[in-house]
Amino acid sequence: MSIHSDDTRRVTTHRLQEMKARGEKISMLTSYDYTMASIVDGAGIDVILVGDSASNVVCGNTTTLPITLDQMIFLAKAVVRATKRALVVVDMPFGSYQGNSKEALASAIRIMKESHCDCLKLEGGEEIIESVKRILCAGIPIMGHLGLMPQSINKYGSYTVRAKEENEAEKLLRDAKLLEEAGCFALVLEKIPAKLAEQVAREVSIPVIGIGAGGGVDGQVLVLHDMLGLTNGFSPRFLRRYANMHETMTNAVKHYISDVKSCDFPNEQEQY
Ligand code: KIV
């Protein structure tokens, strides 16, 4: 039996919860544009994340902090247009929800209204719970994000593994339960010890999707550009590369340059 689903029905937050209940792992990848999202959706991914990692891999920033609400909406619109089956989750960018919960709701409504995505992802637990509750009250589904939270990089100063110490692990577990209690439909756990991630997945009823959080969770997410090998020079232990697109594309571009310079392209059949 194929492990790829032939089910072409749209993935919903409810269906993700059913997948957890029957032990079926959830697949999730980022996408930031129409062409990539068409490929990822067509291949049968369950969830597409329009991640604020676009700040790094699309815009060339060193952190996720500079990307704006307008830029996230621009990218999300293109991804939604391409997606027929996957659930589309959009990251709320840094600065759009951390302060006043009324402003958080206004940002959330803008993303939903303008991009037509399915739901939003926010980084943090107790500190942002008022914003989470207010957005949920408006009927907007939320995916939480705990562990390594790239929007807080300036607080920690590094992208090292989080929640290794007992007090940090206890806080993470508390935050996960708080987000579940508030009504989040799922949770991303980034770069934390596998044992802790497994414990969280066991102790909450909502799906837990890991990145660098081991195999004991309910699903996995990777940044598309990293798993395709489009980016090079970024090799954390948790990253498995499924292609070397950097090399493939470099070779294709070199081949094209050479064909243009040598007048091999275009040939008789490639003109009118
Ligand atoms: O922005 C992003 O790509 C993410 C994933 C790493 C989960 O938040």
Side-chain angles (χ1 to χ4, degrees):
M1 194 186 86
S2 166
I3 55 165
H4 296 279
S5 171
D6 297 328
D7 194 343
T8 54
R9 287 177 304 152
R10 279 209 88 103
V11 178
T12 60
T13 57
H14 182 68
R15 286 185 62 200
L16 294 184
Q17 290 177 341
E18 289 175 349
M19 287 167 80
K20 170 163 180 144
R22 64 171 180 268
E24 179 184 342
K25 298 283 185 186
I26 296 163
S27 60
M28 171 164 153
L29 281 172
T30 63
S31 294
Y32 318 101
D33 67 51
Y34 181 88
T35 305
M36 290 290 204
S38 304
I39 294 170
V40 170
D41 184 63
I45 203 82
D46 296 314
V47 184
I48 293 182
L49 170 66
V50 185
D52 60 356
S53 48
S55 179
N56 307 87
V57 300
V58 175
C59 307
N61 296 310
T62 53
T63 72
T64 58
L65 275 68
I67 201 157
T68 65
L69 194 57
D70 285 339
Q71 288 166 336
M72 288 302 296
I73 291 171
F74 174 83
L75 301 174
K77 277 178 166 173
V79 169
V80 169
R81 272 183 222 121
T83 307
K84 294 190 171 70
R85 178 182 174 273
L87 183 85
V88 179
V89 185
V90 178
D91 262 339
M92 291 193 69
F94 176 70
S96 69
Y97 63 94
Q98 287 90 346
N100 179 325
S101 66
K102 286 190 181 164
E103 282 173 20
L105 178 59
S107 309
I109 288 177
R110 265 204 70 199
I111 302 176
M112 298 300 292
K113 255 186 187 298
E114 295 179 35
S115 76
H116 301 177
C117 70
D118 299 306
C119 35
L120 305 175
K121 177 162 81 61
L122 280 71
E123 293 181 9
E126 194 186 356
E127 308 76 13
I128 58 148
I129 203 69
E130 289 315 313
S131 293
V132 168
K133 285 181 178 165
R134 199 179 274 271
I135 295 168
L136 285 167
C137 275
I140 300 171
I142 294 183
M143 176 180 273
H145 182 149
L146 298 171
L148 173 59
M149 294 179 281
Q151 291 181 10
S152 304
I153 182 61
N154 293 316
K155 178 173 167 190
Y156 295 95
S158 79
Y159 290 100
T160 50
V161 180
R162 299 292 196 262
K164 277 164 92 175
E165 304 302 326
E166 207 174 310
N167 59 342
E168 219 196 322
E170 281 168 4
K171 174 168 166 35
L172 189 142
L173 193 55
R174 258 198 326 275
D175 280 343
K177 291 181 177 172
L178 202 63
L179 292 170
E180 177 191 27
E181 220 174 85
C184 289
F185 73 90
L187 195 58
V188 163
L189 293 180
E190 181 164 354
K191 219 170 174 184
I192 64 167
K195 268 197 175 153
L196 174 62
E198 192 175 349
Q199 184 187 357
V200 175
R202 212 175 35 244
E203 294 193 16
V204 298
S205 61
I206 55 175
V208 173
I209 299 172
I211 172 163
V217 288
D218 307 305
Q220 299 294 327
V221 55
L222 285 175
V223 168
L224 184 69
H225 289 52
D226 296 335
M227 62 81 78
L228 288 179
L230 274 165
T231 46
N232 58 5
F234 176 66
S235 299
R237 190 200 298 194
F238 68 77
L239 175 61
R240 185 180 294 182
R241 287 192 200 281
Y242 288 84
N244 188 346
M245 292 305 292
H246 191 276
E247 193 178 301
T248 303
M249 288 180 70
T250 303
N251 288 340
V253 173
K254 282 185 174 169
H255 196 163
Y256 167 75
I257 295 168
S258 149
D259 284 356
V260 170
K261 301 275 182 195
S262 67
C263 300
D264 182 78
F265 176 79
N267 63 24
E268 288 291 318
Q269 286 75 47
E270 290 162 335
Q271 54 189 288
Y272 300 97

